[in-house]
Amino acid sequence: MTAVTGMSSHDAIFGVVGLGYVGLPLAARAAARGIRVVGFDVNPAVAEGVNAGRSHISDLGDAEVAEALGRGLLEATTDMSRLAACDAIAICVPTPLSRTRDPDIGHVLAASEAVAASLRDGQLVVLESTTYPGTTREVVLPILRGAGLEPGRDFFLCFSPERVDPGNEVWKIGNTPKIIGGVTPACTEAGVAFYTRFVDEMVPVSSVEAAELAKILENAFRAVNIGLVNEMALIADRLELDIWEVIDAAATKPFGFMKFTPGPGLGGHCLPVDPHYLAWKMRTMDFHTRFIDVAAEINAEMPAFVAGKVREALNAAGKPVKGARVLLLGVAYKKDVDDVRESPATAILELLARDGAEVSYHDPYVSRWQARDGLALTSVALTDDILGETDVVVIVTDHTCFDFERIFRLSRVLVDARNATGSIPGGSTTADAPRRWIVKQT
């Protein structure tokens, strides 16, 4: 039926547009299964790094890139005209929000136009970038049709959302079931046939819109449930209860309950961003996404709540916020990664700095942090003296490598936004209350 389905893995050339946290691991996985991959990126430094055998993605080691290069199965380029030689093309470019929190699909448009400029008979094109339902059919398809070819007959167009979970050592691209939907049944068939070569399980759905919505449902589900448990955390704080004790008790129910935990706020590309894509789309259809919007509001309040706990701890110690030394532990948006996109640490820093606090940070994964416009910080060494001299230590990201017993023991005042010290015996809080957010007060 197509050039893609009719040739062996060794004959097919797979073009991956965008060599970020989605595209580069995808390229490496396909190369590991014997598929020749050409990676495309607009950043020359990225292409040069890959061609030198270096990975700039924390979840992918240099060895995997170097091995693929050594076997002649991976190369990177900025030359988009080489897309014409590819039998299958995956678009893995960023889909951020604009300053007004509306979808910014500029990268998708640029990538689609580059593909259209070289589109030929038999090519498979797959959009993997998370976006609102309708993007593939209403935005990408018209651009590709400009080449004079028809989907399902001359070329094949699908949406197959990325399901990358940075820092997850178990679920990777190869063993995570992969959703795919085409603009025609023939497109879906072609997409399944190609991805089956390096993904263990494919999940075909009836349309590109179903695949697009499934991806946003996954992330909205998490965002809404995190919003619920964050609101419960605020409620428990007002009631002077330990929210983590309450959650652990509820989690003993063997049915009807799924455990989520509170934290300092949402971060990363997916959870703080993707639900807004759906909300924007539905506003164009005169529909209000109430759950999604409320959850976003609650989650956005959590950095202010944590900053408030820092102020509360300082007040209890008889020290003003202005001039206080505050140390943030972890500024990545989740444990064991180096990704600071949308990290709640940024808002916590801004709130405390606005009050005059002297804020520093330590993160073994983030040596330098562009915290905000005009402010770049360098990670400080986590010495005994730093811990002992800091007025308030704040656990924002619970990296596995942190020695939380040492941090708890040496800190004068400790605010724990992740319950990372919850199992450590000893210590006290104000008025001998159960440990909640301010877990140590001297």
Side-chain angles (χ1 to χ4, degrees), residues 131-215:
T131 187
Y132 58 84
T135 303
T136 308
R137 193 183 303 274
E138 299 167 8
V139 177
V140 178
L141 179 56
I143 294 174
L144 299 185
R145 264 196 171 130
L149 303 177
E150 280 299 307
R153 184 191 69 192
D154 304 319
F155 75 98
F156 304 88
L157 177 61
C158 300
F159 180 80
S160 183
E162 57 87 3
R163 280 175 153 178
V164 174
D165 183 18
N168 194 321
E169 295 300 323
V170 176
W171 295 105
K172 302 290 187 178
I173 287 174
N175 64 349
T176 300
K178 190 163 182 58
I179 296 169
I180 192 165
V183 296
T184 71
C187 293
T188 304
E189 183 181 346
V192 169
F194 179 72
Y195 276 98
T196 297
R197 299 177 182 188
F198 57 93
V199 175
D200 297 343
E201 181 183 351
M202 295 301 298
V203 184
V205 293
S206 62
S207 66
V208 287
E209 290 83 5
E212 290 164 335
L213 184 57
K215 168 62 177 180

Side-chain angles (χ1 to χ4, degrees), residues 351-414:
L351 290 166
L352 294 173
R354 190 182 304 161
D355 288 346
E358 298 175 4
V359 185
S360 59
Y361 84 96
H362 170 77
D363 193 314
Y365 292 91
V366 184
S367 59
R368 189 166 176 80
W369 179 33
Q370 188 68 46
R372 57 180 178 177
D373 292 343
L375 178 61
L377 301 176
T378 300
S379 178
V380 301
L382 195 61
T383 64
D384 290 359
D385 287 343
I386 287 289
L387 286 170
E389 295 171 358
T390 298
D391 295 308
V392 181
V393 176
V394 187
I395 299 174
V396 181
T397 310
D398 51 339
H399 291 308
T400 303
C401 61
F402 282 154
D403 184 346
F404 291 111
E405 189 281 328
R406 170 176 171 259
I407 291 167
F408 182 87
R409 174 169 47 85
L410 295 177
S411 299
R412 289 193 285 178
V413 178
L414 182 61

